[in-house]
Amino acid sequence: MFDSLPVEVTRVGGNELVTALEDVDRLRAKTETLTVRLVIEALGRSLPGDVGLSAHEWVALCCPWLSPAQINDMVTVACGVGDPLHAGIREQVLGAGLPVRRAASVFRALGRVKPFLETTQVPETGVSSYQQTISSLLAVAATPQYNDRDLKRVTDHLASVVLPEKDHETRRRAAHTLRGVNESSLGGGSLVRFVVTCDVDGAAVFRAVLASPLAAPCADGSGPDPRTPGQRRYDALLTVIRRGVAGGDSTPTTAKATVVVTIAYDPLTRRLAGTGSTVLGEVLSPETVRRIACDADLVPMVLGTDREILDQGRTKRLVTPGQRRVLEQRDKGCSFPGCTIPAPWTDAHHVVHWSRDGLSDLGNYALLCGRHHTLVHDKDLMATVHATGVTWHV
């Protein structure tokens, strides 16, 4: 196929170039399938162990053209297809050309939910819940019309349905401990790079800023906005930070972020139930939904048993500027015992959560700094609100 192309490809017609690229892609897919077949056989024969190497080290040595991420995917698939329960995935990888990276995503998703699924067949259907899950994942992973983002949304939704609430909260707490900002120098000190690691809460706030009108193209009299998307987002973030620092003595009057969350409703308890998901497909634990509901424009899309929208919430529950002034006079600052954070840098927290039918009135508000706000949610602490302050039950 390539022999028909002249050496000087600049003289090749457009249709011939497209055809050649399609041939290259087919060749790449065949090469990948052959590579994973060989790796499966090698691991089955314990060749890496015979030379004192791990599977990852052996593949890296024999396949130096693979990146570390590709090696990880290759080993994940080669190890996973050995399980008889994964015969369907093996068939798709070796026969139908399921890309290795997508097969690896399926195996990682299965690793998260397998402890909570049955692997024995159900008499009525002849298949197990684990097999049904595999079929659902393969229906997306093996279909070219679905991209990697679609596959991620399906796997995240699957986890939100299968995993118990405790597991979601454990993952959220683990992610929260990894939050941070790190600084490094570039260009001999002429540039500085800040790397921000966010949990779900922080990411919601960042995305609200980066997707706001502040980051949109803004044409002036001289023509279109010359800034790149990255530069526009930088300017938007810097604008928000400067406003916050400059207004440190003033009362915040706007919400921190706008987050649309889809979450189920339990008619028996008349409470929100299960996990939530954002319009971007991110899975939120119930505790994260409750925490974000304190100080963000949370718009809950509450679903019934048939996933019809029962209610599209509004954001009038947020503290008003008048209420903020009264709270600042009453609490003086963060109301948590021993904290000295001043009032302008605090959040108005619903003592009885809004998601638990807590009222948006002064008798149910307490000012908390960001750190203690998180602590109160993590430990589900309660307080008694007096006319002159707040007593936390710690």
Side-chain angles (χ1 to χ4, degrees):
M1 55 184 168
F2 303 111
D3 293 339
S4 61
L5 288 175
V7 175
E8 188 56 61
V9 295
T10 57
R11 300 178 181 178
V12 177
N15 291 335
E16 291 177 283
L17 283 175
V18 171
T19 301
L21 287 172
E22 291 173 347
D23 290 340
V24 168
D25 186 59
R26 282 191 286 270
L27 180 61
R28 178 205 55 77
K30 290 181 179 179
T31 301
E32 182 182 77
T33 301
L34 179 58
T35 302
V36 73
R37 184 185 293 273
L38 293 172
V39 171
I40 291 171
E41 183 66 21
L43 297 188
R45 299 184 186 183
S46 301
L47 294 186
D50 291 343
V51 292
L53 297 176
S54 69
H56 287 79
E57 293 168 338
W58 187 87
V59 173
L61 180 66
C62 296
C63 306
W65 62 88
L66 295 177
S67 68
Q70 290 173 317
I71 292 172
N72 188 44
D73 288 344
M74 189 72 66
V75 173
T76 297
V77 173
C79 293
V81 297
D83 190 329
L85 292 173
H86 301 152
I89 306 177
R90 181 188 181 99
E91 180 181 349
Q92 288 287 339
V93 171
L94 300 183
L98 174 65
V100 169
R101 74 178 190 282
R102 299 185 71 156
S105 296
V106 171
F107 279 121
R108 293 187 186 106
L110 291 173
R112 293 170 61 187
V113 301
K114 186 177 181 180
F116 309 100
L117 294 172
E118 293 293 335
T119 56
T120 55
Q121 293 183 351
V122 178
E124 292 80 4
T125 62
V127 296
S128 66
S129 59
Y130 188 64
Q131 291 172 314
Q132 290 177 328
T133 300
I134 292 176
S135 298
S136 298
L137 290 173
L138 282 179
V140 177
T143 304
Q145 286 76 12
Y146 295 115
N147 57 32
D148 292 348
R149 181 177 296 181
D150 295 325
L151 179 58
K152 182 180 184 302
R153 288 177 177 174
V154 171
T155 55
D156 286 346
H157 174 71
L158 173 68
S160 73
V161 173
V162 174
L163 298 183
E165 180 174 336
K166 181 179 179 181
D167 185 77
H168 284 290
E169 187 57 21
T170 299
R171 291 170 62 88
R172 186 203 67 77
R173 289 174 184 266
H176 185 67
T177 62
L178 297 176
R179 72 194 189 283
V181 178
N182 297 292
E183 177 183 343
S184 60
S185 179
L186 300 175
S190 60
L191 291 172
V192 178
R193 170 175 290 166
F194 290 94
V195 178
V196 182
T197 303
C198 301
D199 56 9
V200 174
D201 302 31
V205 177
F206 268 89
R207 290 196 180 101
V209 175
L210 301 181
S212 71
L214 287 173
C218 182
D220 55 25
S222 61
D225 194 331
R227 299 175 298 169
T228 66
Q231 290 170 338
R232 295 199 308 270
R233 290 191 290 268
Y234 170 85
D235 292 344
L237 192 59
L238 202 61
T239 297
V240 171
I241 293 174
R242 282 172 172 165
R243 287 179 181 176
V245 174
D249 294 329
S250 63
T251 299
T253 58
T254 58
K256 291 184 177 179
T258 299
V259 186
V260 179
V261 176
T262 301
I263 193 165
Y265 179 78
D266 187 344
L268 296 179
T269 61
R270 301 188 62 173
R271 295 285 178 88
L272 302 182
T275 59
S277 62
T278 69
V279 293
L280 297 178
E282 299 165 301
V283 176
L284 304 180
S285 70
E287 186 55 38
T288 297
V289 174
R290 288 191 285 268
R291 183 167 48 258
I292 293 178
C294 271
D295 53 7
D297 271 349
L298 179 69
V299 182
M301 303 289 286
V302 181
L303 305 181
T305 54
D306 296 324
R307 298 196 62 80
E308 76 280 8
I309 297 177
L310 299 179
D311 176 60
Q312 180 172 333
R314 294 183 294 274
T315 59
K316 294 181 179 178
R317 60 180 177 72
L318 292 175
V319 65
T320 66
Q323 288 176 320
R324 274 289 316 204
R325 287 191 290 270
V326 174
L327 288 172
E328 291 184 0
Q329 288 296 319
R330 186 193 73 189
D331 295 351
K332 308 301 183 185
C334 177
S335 60
F336 202 82
C339 187
T340 58
I341 297 296
W345 296 99
T346 59
D347 305 324
H349 165 74
H350 287 77
V351 175
V352 177
H353 299 330
W354 174 79
S355 59
R356 298 174 182 171
D357 300 327
L359 300 178
S360 296
D361 57 29
L362 295 174
N364 194 43
Y365 277 130
L367 295 185
L368 289 170
C369 67
R371 186 166 67 90
H372 288 126
H373 198 173
T374 299
L375 176 68
V376 164
H377 274 280
D378 284 347
K379 296 185 177 297
D380 202 15
L381 298 179
M382 292 300 296
T384 301
V385 180
H386 311 281
T388 56
V390 181
T391 301
W392 285 99
H393 307 310
V394 295

